[in-house]
Amino acid sequence: MLFKKSSALTEVDTDHNDEKAIYEDKKLDPFNLTIDSEDETLLFDQPPATKRELWSYYLYYNGNNGYTIYGFMPIILQYLAYRGGFNPLKPQEGCNIQDALNTPCHVAWINSPNGIPVSSMLLYVQSIAFSIQFILFTTFSSLADYGRWNRYILLVSTVIGCLFQALPMTLVNDDGQHWNVMMAFMIIALISYGTSLVFYSAAFPNLCDNLPVVRHAKANPNLSEVDRQRVIERWRNEVSAVSTTFSNVGFLIMSGLLSGVSFVPWTNRGYVFPDGVSPTLGNVPLYNFISTLACGVFWALNAVPYFLLTPKGRQGPPLPASANYFTLGWKSILEALKEARKLRYLFMYIFAYFMFSDAVSTISQMSTIIQGELTSFSAQQNVLFGLTTAITSIIGCLFFLWISKRFEIRTKTMLLAIVVLTGLVPLWGCLGIHFDNLGIRTLRELWVLNVWSGLFTAPIWAWQQTMLAELVPKGKENLFFGLFGIVNKASSWIGPVVIGAITQSTSNIWKGWPFVLALFVVATIIICLIDVDKAKLELVEYEKKEREDMTE
């Protein structure tokens, strides 16, 4: 007998005699359906996913939540740059940290006699990191398709990422003269973090497709292709949303823990608090350094189970003997672009993703800079904002998952709604060009921004990943996920460069919001034009032709 059913599922099958009912059960455990071991060996070349493997996958994202990358490390760099910078109107004077929003501050920069604004420097740092990532990913990302390279690259990037999140602690007593060292730490941390996300995401479709329930549906001859695809889509949505939720849970754990620590009394410790500032650890610069160290350790602890519990059989074919490590990636990207052109909706989604991924990344960077200036780099204030975002991120991910399940809303519709709601942020920011107390200009608005970002921006990464998985041909997941990782990095430097240049020429970061808004408008239009059902038919024809070509 090909299929083995648990006792819980046998009754459903007997009463309704409907194969679809098994997979549509809202309480279905994805590990309750199994296939006869002999048939399974013939049908699949990968071992089935286990509960431990799935939960270790979730746990990895719990630790690799990006909290310090977008929170503490930029604030530390901004703080050290202000300490080591100068007022361009009075070059002999230093910068006014307590009034960072209203007084200019520049740092020395290549080919700039008068230096550049600190905010521009922060944006250029992002661009440098993303540009390096683009080169590295283009060269080496295709290795993930072969052997256990995905695991090895993810492991190396995780180790480097954890280390460089902790290294800022060595600058805790710096007077700002070594802000450029912190800049180097930041660039390396960004590269390793970005690399880990790309290769973590590349493991997603393989893991989902080897869940026992998905393997059961693929091997079930009584299911139509449409019903089979719906089972796959359901569980990809489930794993994607839960993993993203876990990332936000990790964000919540760290922000909650660090929020509590920020209220520890800090008197008679040699630090002079400005007037009106409460003497607590959260209002001391040391706090940011301690926090980024804690985030690095937390990531390391959560990453260990994934590398221990992923089965050895979860790997690709061996690297061809004729392959060159330094040209394989470029050839694969050219191949992916060539293949994507055969799948018009996938090709359209590449452009949409190019736009909205750059826009979302730029929103995060601009918000961090504005938040640092509005709060005068208050660590306590920023960690409370982080706690707010963490809580609302979990609510947002679970809410959109519940909505999609309850009303059976398709992935494209969910993604479109999330993109539109996120696109309201730059529209709001545009108001700050003309008003001094509206348009992400006040502390009150920062609270609203962090709630909004949690509810509507956090889920975007879960649904964009699922949308991609629906449009990618079977057997080429790593190739196309690698391509999208490269597209992400190729686009992510554009926003910071444009906004940095606008800020450098106008000394007003708010004038960059219209550019971000335009990216969202273009992305939304393209997503509206994608027909997912026709795209899946294209995939069936594409995969059929691939099989025919292989047999000739």
Side-chain angles (χ1 to χ4, degrees):
M1 183 178 178
L2 177 63
F3 300 112
K4 293 180 180 178
K5 300 183 179 67
S6 70
S7 57
L9 291 172
T10 303
E11 185 177 349
V12 173
D13 191 46
T14 303
D15 290 346
H16 300 285
N17 193 29
D18 183 2
E19 294 288 345
K20 288 172 59 177
I22 298 175
Y23 307 103
E24 292 173 353
D25 184 357
K26 302 295 183 183
K27 297 181 179 179
L28 175 62
D29 185 333
F31 298 94
N32 268 1
L33 292 175
T34 57
I35 304 172
D36 185 273
S37 59
E38 293 183 5
D39 294 312
E40 190 169 42
T41 303
L42 295 173
L43 290 170
F44 302 100
D45 59 359
Q46 297 266 336
T50 64
K51 284 186 178 181
R52 288 187 175 185
E53 181 186 4
L54 179 61
W55 282 93
S56 70
Y57 182 80
Y58 293 152
L59 195 61
Y60 180 93
Y61 213 8
N62 188 67
N64 191 15
N65 52 64
Y67 188 13
T68 187
I69 287 292
Y70 296 109
F72 300 113
M73 293 189 76
I75 292 294
I76 292 172
L77 177 55
Q78 198 173 9
Y79 166 74
L80 290 176
Y82 263 82
R83 291 201 68 185
F86 60 91
N87 186 333
L89 303 178
K90 301 177 181 178
Q92 69 279 8
E93 294 184 7
C95 299
N96 186 348
I97 293 179
Q98 300 306 320
D99 192 22
L101 187 64
N102 298 312
T103 56
C105 182
H106 285 203
V107 289
W109 198 257
I110 187 171
N111 295 328
S112 298
N114 296 320
I116 62 173
V118 170
S119 54
S120 293
M121 179 273 292
L122 290 166
L123 290 163
Y124 292 153
V125 163
Q126 300 279 343
S127 298
I128 292 169
F130 288 133
S131 299
I132 295 172
Q133 287 181 50
F134 170 72
I135 295 171
L136 290 176
F137 292 169
T138 305
T139 304
F140 298 111
S141 63
S142 291
L143 286 175
D145 284 327
Y146 301 99
R148 306 194 77 193
W149 279 102
N150 187 297
R151 171 189 173 87
Y152 299 148
I153 295 174
L154 182 60
L155 177 60
V156 171
S157 62
T158 299
V159 171
I160 294 174
C162 293
L163 175 63
F164 277 86
Q165 285 186 12
L167 277 177
M169 195 67 186
T170 61
L171 299 173
V172 66
N173 295 316
D174 193 78
D175 61 359
Q177 295 303 307
H178 298 97
W179 66 267
N180 50 1
V181 175
M182 181 60 207
M183 181 178 71
F185 288 168
M186 181 78 186
I187 290 172
I188 296 173
L190 278 166
I191 293 170
S192 56
Y193 172 70
T195 303
S196 69
L197 290 184
V198 167
F199 286 90
Y200 174 82
S201 296
F204 161 74
N206 206 3
L207 174 63
C208 294
D209 289 355
N210 283 290
L211 289 171
V213 64
V214 175
R215 292 160 70 101
H216 189 278
K218 286 182 175 182
N220 190 342
N222 300 317
L223 282 184
S224 68
E225 184 60 31
V226 172
D227 292 331
R228 192 173 290 113
Q229 290 300 324
R230 288 194 179 277
V231 173
I232 295 171
E233 179 180 344
R234 173 191 171 181
W235 289 102
R236 283 180 172 178
N237 275 328
E238 175 93 8
V239 173
S240 183
V242 172
S243 64
T244 303
T245 301
F246 260 78
S247 174
N248 292 309
V249 167
F251 191 10
L252 174 61
I253 290 171
M254 291 308 296
S255 58
L257 187 66
L258 294 171
S259 293
V261 172
S262 72
F263 288 96
V264 171
W266 202 260
T267 55
N268 301 320
R269 302 291 181 95
Y271 181 78
V272 179
F273 290 88
D275 293 338
V277 176
S278 61
T280 58
L281 177 58
N283 290 319
V284 178
L286 169 66
Y287 175 79
N288 282 318
F289 294 88
I290 293 174
S291 297
T292 190
L293 172 63
C295 289
V297 172
F298 185 72
W299 180 8
L301 292 175
N302 280 269
V304 170
Y306 179 71
F307 295 108
L308 294 179
L309 297 174
T310 302
K312 291 183 178 180
R314 190 77 67 235
Q315 59 184 4
L319 188 71
S322 60
N324 184 297
Y325 289 98
F326 296 100
T327 60
L328 177 66
W330 293 91
K331 289 180 179 178
S332 295
I333 295 306
L334 291 175
E335 178 192 348
L337 288 171
K338 181 180 177 181
E339 295 300 309
R341 291 180 64 185
K342 300 176 184 177
L343 302 163
R344 56 175 172 166
Y345 293 110
L346 174 60
F347 203 63
M348 289 170 64
Y349 187 57
I350 290 174
F351 284 102
Y353 181 74
F354 184 95
M355 298 293 177
F356 76 72
S357 65
D358 185 25
V360 172
S361 177
T362 305
I363 285 177
S364 177
Q365 294 155 29
M366 292 177 70
S367 299
T368 299
I369 293 168
I370 292 171
Q371 192 166 289
E373 293 181 353
L374 281 175
T375 61
S376 297
F377 315 110
S378 169
Q380 187 176 67
Q381 185 69 69
N382 283 301
V383 79
L384 290 174
F385 284 143
L387 178 61
T388 302
T389 302
I391 294 172
T392 53
S393 293
I394 295 171
I395 295 172
C397 288
L398 294 177
F399 173 73
F400 280 105
L401 178 60
W402 177 80
I403 286 287
S404 65
K405 283 185 172 182
R406 176 67 178 80
F407 299 101
E408 298 184 351
I409 301 174
R410 302 295 297 276
T411 303
K412 172 192 166 179
T413 305
M414 295 300 297
L415 177 62
L416 193 58
I418 296 168
V419 168
V420 170
L421 289 166
T422 304
L424 295 178
V425 172
L427 180 62
W428 174 21
C430 288
L431 298 175
I433 299 173
H434 307 288
F435 300 97
D436 293 330
N437 57 356
L438 181 64
I440 318 180
R441 285 278 192 173
T442 64
L443 284 175
R444 189 175 300 173
E445 287 181 287
L446 286 181
W447 284 108
V448 178
L449 174 63
N450 280 278
V451 170
W452 191 273
S453 296
L455 290 174
F456 304 120
T457 304
I460 202 170
W461 301 116
W463 267 268
Q464 67 83 17
Q465 181 172 256
T466 306
M467 180 77 169
L468 172 58
E470 289 186 27
L471 300 175
V472 168
K474 177 65 179 172
K476 297 195 175 183
E477 292 89 353
N478 277 330
L479 178 66
F480 282 101
F481 269 80
L483 173 63
F484 270 71
I486 289 167
V487 167
N488 186 6
K489 302 313 169 188
S491 67
S492 293
W493 66 268
I494 296 175
V497 164
V498 173
I499 306 302
I502 292 172
T503 304
Q504 187 175 344
S505 61
T506 66
S507 297
N508 187 345
I509 194 173
W510 277 266
K511 290 188 176 180
W513 285 117
F515 173 77
V516 182
L517 178 60
L519 292 175
F520 273 109
V521 171
V522 174
T524 301
I525 293 171
I526 296 175
I527 294 173
C528 287
L529 296 175
I530 295 174
D531 188 321
V532 177
D533 291 326
K534 288 184 179 179
K536 290 182 178 179
L537 291 175
E538 278 188 350
L539 283 178
V540 172
E541 291 299 318
Y542 175 88
E543 291 168 3
K544 180 180 178 182
K545 188 175 184 303
E546 285 285 298
R547 288 192 296 269
E548 290 174 352
D549 291 342
M550 290 178 65
T551 56
E552 289 180 359

